[in-house]
């Protein structure tokens, strides 16, 4: 199956923030049952500096530095994934996506 995922986090501050440093871990991992076909991270405002690295656990980390005054920061990650099930995976025994979603809305 193919999925397109969009994650948006918005920070709103009571007054101008003149400098901030952030780390984002929003890029999906590649594994035996999942491929990340594409991934993009966009922020508003744009960072003055950005560096990417992989942490000790294999997560992709984006370091973002902002040095322009702002009262709002939006971080948007868009990913396209392809998943596949193993030959011995019983799809009938898994939860439907809406059951998983509803579990997070508690």
């Amino acid at each position: 199956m193919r999925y397109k995922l969009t994650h948006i986090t918005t920070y709103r501050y009571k007054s101008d923030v003149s400098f901030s440093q952030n780390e984002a871990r929003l890029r999906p991992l590649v594994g035996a049952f999942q491929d990340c076909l594409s991934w993009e991270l966009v922020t508003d405002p744009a960072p003055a500096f950005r560096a990417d690295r992989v942490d000790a656990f294999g997560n992709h980390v984006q370091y973002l530095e902002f040095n322009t005054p702002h009262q709002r920061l939006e971080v948007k990650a868009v990913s396209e994934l392809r998943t596949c099930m193993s030959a011995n995976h019983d799809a009938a025994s898994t939860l439907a996506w809406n059951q998983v979603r509803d579990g997070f809305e508690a």
Side-chain angles (χ1 to χ4, degrees):
M1 299 205 79
R2 287 176 82 128
Y3 296 94
K4 183 173 183 180
L5 304 175
T6 301
H7 171 99
I8 300 173
T9 300
T10 304
Y11 300 94
R12 291 180 178 85
Y13 309 105
K14 290 184 179 183
S15 59
D16 278 350
V17 172
S18 58
F19 181 78
S20 70
Q21 298 173 316
N22 303 270
E23 285 191 347
R25 288 171 173 81
L26 296 171
R27 183 176 180 171
L29 293 175
V30 173
F33 306 111
Q34 174 175 289
D35 284 327
C36 184
L37 304 175
S38 67
W39 179 81
E40 181 181 26
L41 183 74
V42 178
T43 64
D44 182 23
F49 177 76
R50 176 178 169 168
D52 297 353
R53 66 178 178 86
V54 176
D55 71 12
F57 301 101
N59 299 302
H60 295 270
V61 181
Q62 292 70 46
Y63 169 80
L64 307 165
E65 188 173 286
F66 302 89
N67 60 12
T68 307
H70 58 282
Q71 286 188 334
R72 179 181 167 278
L73 170 61
E74 182 176 278
V75 179
K76 180 179 179 180
V78 179
S79 308
E80 187 176 352
L81 303 174
R82 179 177 52 219
T83 62
C84 60
M85 295 185 185
S86 69
N88 59 4
H89 181 78
D90 179 15
S93 69
T94 63
L95 295 174
W97 72 268
N98 54 334
Q99 291 174 301
V100 175
R101 178 201 62 208
D102 293 347
F104 286 105
E105 292 179 346

